[in-house]
Amino acid sequence: MMKEFTPAPDSASIVSVTDRVKPVALGMGVTSVHFLGDRAAFVGGEENVAFVDSQGEITTVAVHGGGILSTASDGKRLVMGGDDGKVVSLDAKGEVTLLATDPKRRWIDAVALHADGAFAWSAGKTATVKSGKTEEKSLEVPSTVGGLAFAPKGLRLAIAHYNGATLWFPNMAASAEFLPWAGSHHAVTFSPDNKFLVTAMHEPALHGWRLADNRHMRMTGYPGRVRSMSWSAGGKALATSGADTVILWPFGSKDGPMGKEPAMLAPLQARVSVVACHPKNDILAAGYSDGTVLMVRLEDGAEILVRRNGTPPVAALAWNAKGTLLAFADENGDGGLLEL
């Protein structure tokens, strides 16, 4: 459970790098952003992805015949699911490849990527995995899939759904393992060390399991739903949205956040809408419901202003793999690139 916090001074009083941001006007609603190499791929709500290079040049690519519902990226390709029943990938050159089509043309609600090239997607209650080594394999879970995630090691897939999560080894004959917890689970993530599984719930809370013994971890106290989660470099902390401050849960010990309170960083008079931890350093970027973007140092909460408030909520935020570029955009597609 979280303690109350005192809002920080307004953004005018902190160090600013807003003058170093290259503005990007995408002209479309944006739901997420991912880097493919050093090109930022801004995903629209409908049909298109807009590539933006480090000079701010925009190239638009059509990827779906309708709404884009889910995305996942490994830095080399971007995999997306749409309401056209298709799973497609996009590479850094802008080439689109059809990976799969749901036989019933159902919406592709969730997608996930594995480091070895395997990918997964869901439609309704069915999760499907396809890797280079095997044919497609599918598993039906008790209710509509809320989220998918591959484990960092081994071809193990976590499937979030109503009343818990399911762990599945598609290449093994053993039955899938069910991890129960009442309620609706709509997103899922493994810790980078493979020791914990965390879901974001429909209610304003997270839930987790320590995988060695399936011990429960209850992470509550949010005023709103958690829609964005990001692991710090090395996986010692999990940053989340859902409050008027970045919530940072400790995962550096064998017990994770059990019995511990989270750190609360960068409080503003606005709700955190999206978080993205730096890939190499203990820094994160946070976007807010009033359009503010901050960079925050995890050690002491020191803040740098990247974008001032006064716009729609920040919807997309990402670092490139080297941690030298930060991309962001609000719901209307007005954003920027910051080179560090």
Side-chain angles (χ1 to χ4, degrees), residues 175-225:
S175 299
E177 181 183 6
F178 176 55
L179 302 176
W181 187 263
S184 181
H185 302 255
H186 68 87
V188 62
T189 179
F190 283 91
S191 62
D193 62 8
N194 225 28
K195 293 179 179 177
F196 302 97
L197 187 74
V198 178
T199 60
M201 301 191 66
H202 183 75
E203 63 184 91
L206 300 181
H207 193 75
W209 294 266
R210 184 169 63 187
L211 295 176
D213 56 8
N214 293 349
R215 178 123 177 244
H216 293 287
M217 300 179 295
R218 189 85 173 118
M219 292 168 272
T220 62
Y222 289 92
R225 275 177 65 182

Side-chain angles (χ1 to χ4, degrees), residues 7-48:
D10 65 60
S11 59
S13 66
I14 66 172
V15 176
S16 173
V17 292
T18 55
D19 59 331
R20 291 170 49 191
V21 173
K22 286 191 180 77
V24 176
L26 298 162
M28 65 179 188
V30 170
T31 58
S32 64
V33 61
H34 308 265
F35 273 95
L36 300 180
D38 287 339
R39 296 177 85 195
F42 290 89
V43 180
E46 297 284 339
E47 299 181 356
N48 298 322

